[in-house]
Amino acid sequence: MKKIIITGSSGLVGAECVKFFIKKNFKVIGIDNNMRKFFFGKSGSIHKNTIQFKKDSSYEHHNIDIRDHKKIEKIFKNNSKDIYAIIHAAAQPSHDWAYQNPLLDFDINARSTLILLNYFKKYCKKSSFIFLSTNKVYGDNPNKIKLKSINGRYYPKNKNHYAKGFNEELSTDKCLHSFFGSSKLYADIIVQEFGKNFNLNTVCFRAGCITGPMHAGAELHGFLSYLVKSTIKKNKYNIIGFNGNQVRDNIHSSDLVNCFWNYLKSPTKGEVYNIGGGLKNSISINEALTYIESKLNIKIKKKYFSKPRSGDHAWYVTDYLKFKKKYPKWVQKYSIKKILDELINLYN
Ligand SMILES: NC(=O)c1ccc[n+]([C@@H]2O[C@H](COP(=O)([O-])OP(=O)(O)OC[C@H]3O[C@@H](n4cnc5c(N)ncnc54)[C@H](O)[C@@H]3O)[C@@H](O)[C@H]2O)c1
């Protein structure tokens, strides 16, 4: 039986991978210590996903910290012959949290990625290593294009190079990265270096907003999931900066896992792909609020803060053409409406 190691296996992306690879008859080795609860409190806990997965005989759970290199090595060593791939989705995922805790953020996001890469090279170098990177590696460079706001949403002002979304040509230099962006950028680069220097199958997926039913949305991380949840609970929603005109494209976690599957069938070495929902799946906070309000017939209590989060993107849309060209069989099944309706039905 082929085996796959998934770090962050109970989080949004990891959990979607667990479900997918069990269906494909893999033995799944999951690593997750519910650090998400430590980061974001009770609402961030992913414990119920772990309990659910443990019931499946194709799933083996390790409640360990990815920083614990001895225990991580043991997992790689014990399974070395059968490992088909590693999907590294464990992380401290929040911009704001990293600002308060840069050392711990670096340890988890950057140093632990290097630890995993070392064992990947030592024990299963013929397999593939998938890393969940982020559009925050581009820092606030996306904010350098001129925008106009129309009906509660930003649009690029001119028909510039990036009007349909940001591709991998966007520079990662000359910008404010945030501490989260910096730790992820280190990890992103080192994943590429292992691919290029040692001729290994490694890839970075630089994602924007990922969402889906397995998301334990918290205020500091999980935009749409948190928004739908707090609306249903009739909680106040804080809109930080840009008057709610800020735009994000959203990709469903199941569409993302399908990207991984396409990559694994034809892996490349040290590659980077921007991945996201694209222009069609983009929405502003104001638009999302209006849609949810009308669907649920609820008036959301909103509080506006004029100062944006440091380095926060005003308009970020992914151009995923590089990935689509290389893997033309990949199709996105979830529209933004389908994503929102699924979340509304889930929490309502
Ligand atoms: N969700 C998004 O919108 C988004 C966007 C861009 C990039 N990403 C990246 O995708 C990856 C997965 O994100 P997600 O949304 O699934 O996050 P998530 O928080 O839902 O999942 C991450 C999981 O990792 C676990 N974890 C964290 N630190 C750990 C540690 N030290 N040891 C063991 N387990 C640990 C957490 O408990 C959690 O279950 C992350 O690298 C994130 O930076 C996410």
Side-chain angles (χ1 to χ4, degrees):
M1 204 176 191
K2 280 190 278 190
K3 295 181 179 175
I4 186 153
I5 295 180
I6 299 172
T7 72
S9 51
S10 298
L12 168 68
V13 176
E16 196 73 58
C17 292
V18 173
K19 290 193 296 180
F20 181 91
F21 286 98
I22 286 178
K23 266 200 203 135
K24 293 265 177 218
N25 291 322
F26 279 78
K27 169 97 190 174
V28 175
I29 301 170
I31 302 172
D32 201 309
N33 64 350
N34 201 3
M35 199 91 181
R36 190 170 169 91
K37 186 179 174 195
F38 169 75
F39 301 141
F40 307 127
K42 226 168 142 193
S43 66
S45 174
I46 45 67
H47 188 54
K48 68 174 190 325
N49 293 341
T50 309
I51 293 178
Q52 190 60 33
F53 293 151
K54 276 176 156 177
K55 291 180 190 157
D56 198 309
S57 59
S58 305
Y59 182 76
E60 178 184 307
H61 190 76
H62 295 265
N63 183 26
I64 64 171
D65 198 304
I66 51 165
R67 290 171 294 165
D68 188 338
H69 65 95
K70 286 197 181 129
K71 288 187 183 155
I72 293 287
E73 176 162 26
K74 209 165 155 197
I75 295 174
F76 275 81
K77 198 171 176 185
N78 290 345
N79 296 287
S80 60
K81 287 198 193 79
D82 308 313
I83 298 172
Y84 172 74
I86 296 110
I87 299 178
H88 178 28
Q92 186 301 105
S94 156
H95 203 97
D96 300 302
W97 198 92
Y99 182 82
Q100 305 292 342
N101 307 276
L103 260 179
L104 190 50
D105 173 78
F106 188 85
D107 233 15
I108 295 171
N109 288 354
R111 194 170 160 274
S112 300
T113 302
L114 181 56
I115 291 173
L116 288 162
L117 284 164
N118 264 312
Y119 296 139
F120 157 62
K121 176 171 167 275
K122 185 168 174 187
Y123 292 110
C124 50
K125 62 178 180 200
K126 298 236 161 74
S127 68
S128 303
F129 190 101
I130 293 176
F131 173 61
L132 262 299
S133 185
T134 167
N135 60 9
K136 297 290 188 305
V137 299
Y138 298 116
D140 63 355
N141 276 335
N143 288 353
K144 289 175 187 163
I145 65 166
K146 290 206 165 59
L147 301 171
K148 58 187 172 192
S149 68
I150 305 172
N151 294 335
R153 176 190 170 114
Y154 282 136
Y155 292 88
K157 206 165 189 174
N158 309 310
K159 282 211 157 81
N160 67 57
H161 187 52
Y162 294 121
K164 288 189 175 156
F166 294 106
N167 61 26
E168 299 79 0
E169 283 168 29
L170 188 64
S171 174
T172 59
D173 294 329
K174 292 189 187 160
C175 56
L176 175 80
H177 283 97
S178 82
F179 291 100
F180 169 71
S182 313
S183 63
K184 293 294 274 190
L185 181 57
Y186 171 81
D188 181 305
I189 289 172
I190 204 71
V191 168
Q192 295 179 56
E193 293 305 313
F194 267 68
K196 289 172 185 159
N197 285 283
F198 304 126
N199 206 29
L200 304 175
N201 299 329
T202 69
V203 64
C204 299
F205 284 98
R206 292 178 175 166
C209 280
I210 311 165
T211 191
M214 309 301 273
H215 216 177
E219 186 169 12
L220 292 188
H221 184 247
F223 156 51
L224 286 182
S225 162
Y226 178 74
L227 176 53
V228 174
K229 249 200 290 190
S230 57
T231 305
I232 289 165
K233 285 188 185 157
K234 303 202 164 102
N235 291 343
K236 189 176 68 217
Y237 189 78
N238 293 333
I239 298 166
I240 322 268
F242 309 115
N243 260 326
N245 288 311
Q246 56 268 56
V247 171
R248 303 281 180 270
D249 65 326
N250 295 271
I251 185 167
H252 193 279
S253 45
S254 112
D255 284 334
L256 181 63
V257 175
N258 262 299
C259 295
F260 302 165
W261 185 233
N262 276 276
Y263 171 81
L264 289 173
K265 287 190 279 184
S266 178
T268 46
K269 298 178 194 307
E271 200 49 90
V272 167
Y273 297 108
N274 282 2
I275 204 75
L279 199 54
K280 273 199 283 189
N281 264 20
S282 68
I283 194 164
S284 73
I285 292 197
N286 290 327
E287 289 170 331
L289 288 166
T290 305
Y291 185 81
I292 296 165
E293 281 180 330
S294 73
K295 269 269 162 176
L296 290 168
N297 204 15
I298 291 178
K299 196 81 195 140
I300 302 170
K301 283 175 252 156
K302 301 155 200 145
K303 187 164 182 197
Y304 289 85
F305 294 84
S306 56
K307 193 171 173 231
R309 291 186 172 101
S310 154
D312 205 14
H313 296 154
W315 183 89
Y316 192 93
V317 171
T318 311
D319 176 349
Y320 54 73
L321 208 63
K322 179 179 169 189
F323 181 78
K324 183 71 181 165
K325 272 190 182 157
K326 173 79 187 152
Y327 301 99
K329 285 192 180 147
W330 175 67
V331 260
Q332 214 179 155
K333 294 191 177 148
Y334 279 81
S335 65
I336 186 67
K337 191 171 165 302
K338 198 170 165 190
I339 288 174
L340 281 166
D341 289 347
E342 182 187 49
L343 289 172
I344 291 168
N345 291 335
L346 181 74
Y347 295 125
N348 203 11

